[in-house]
Amino acid sequence: MFSRRLASNFLRAQHSTPRLSSRLPQASSIRRLTPLQIRLLSTEVRSAIDKAVGSAPVVLFMKGTPETPQCGFSRASVQILGLQGVDPSKFVAFNVLEDQELREGVKEYSEWPTIPQLYIDKEFVGGCDILVSMHQDGSLAKMLDEKKVIAASEPSQADDASE
């Protein structure tokens, strides 16, 4: 009877939809990859992700494109980067919906279970929840400014009139 109950609970857990809170990483669940897990991410996929992460100072792996995001979290991330004034010439986004290997590989690469994922100067910053928090506390603006990825502000009409 004990083993039947265990099997039943296991099957129920396998087929139930996880709650959002259960999908967020807990401090105790964040860990380094084991050698076996590193091998699960193929050399080709790892190399492609390395190249993507290094392709611009600000890189966002998202669902959809900045012009047509396919999920609310991706939309929010793009909006935050826009509000922060990220220079479009220093930003690139990759649509993980176009490539299943990329979609799964980037999660292993960063050890972060969700999409979107932001990298600044090849350093993983976090997902949408982290971006929102950093945006609200001002640390994202400071980081973007330090990395010199903010677009130069255009002179206002008032400045033009005074000259």
Side-chain angles (χ1 to χ4, degrees):
M1 174 140 166
F2 180 73
S3 62
R4 182 179 290 164
R5 188 173 24 188
L6 265 177
S8 175
N9 288 341
F10 175 76
L11 288 172
R12 198 173 311 122
Q14 293 290 81
H15 295 291
S16 65
T17 303
R19 293 184 307 242
L20 178 61
S21 61
S22 70
R23 288 186 283 167
L24 295 176
Q26 304 299 316
S28 62
S29 70
I30 297 175
R31 57 181 166 55
R32 301 303 305 164
L33 291 176
T34 66
L36 177 62
Q37 290 169 315
I38 288 170
R39 285 191 299 242
L40 293 176
L41 187 57
S42 74
T43 304
E44 296 81 23
V45 172
R46 180 174 298 284
S47 177
I49 294 171
D50 281 338
K51 186 176 179 180
V53 166
S55 65
V58 180
V59 176
L60 182 66
F61 292 96
M62 63 180 291
K63 293 179 182 175
T65 64
E67 297 79 20
T68 56
Q70 297 297 306
C71 88
F73 297 114
S74 291
R75 178 181 308 282
S77 298
V78 169
Q79 288 174 337
I80 288 170
L81 294 174
L83 288 170
Q84 292 289 335
V86 171
D87 185 341
S89 69
K90 296 180 179 182
F91 168 78
V92 67
F94 292 91
N95 181 359
V96 300
L97 298 177
E98 292 179 346
D99 184 342
Q100 187 63 29
E101 280 189 308
L102 175 62
R103 184 176 184 175
E104 294 307 316
V106 75
K107 293 175 188 179
E108 287 183 44
Y109 183 88
S110 65
E111 299 177 41
W112 193 259
T114 60
I115 303 289
Q117 295 185 6
L118 179 69
Y119 287 80
I120 298 177
D121 274 348
K122 300 179 185 177
E123 180 182 337
F124 177 65
V125 176
C128 183
D129 54 341
I130 303 298
L131 285 180
V132 168
S133 176
M134 291 177 72
H135 174 66
Q136 291 172 339
D137 71 15
S139 60
L140 182 60
K142 181 179 178 188
M143 177 187 280
L144 293 169
D145 189 47
E146 287 172 354
K147 302 292 184 175
K148 299 182 181 359
V149 295
I150 303 295
S153 58
E154 297 177 17
S156 67
Q157 292 178 348
D159 291 341
D160 292 341
S162 65
E163 291 179 4

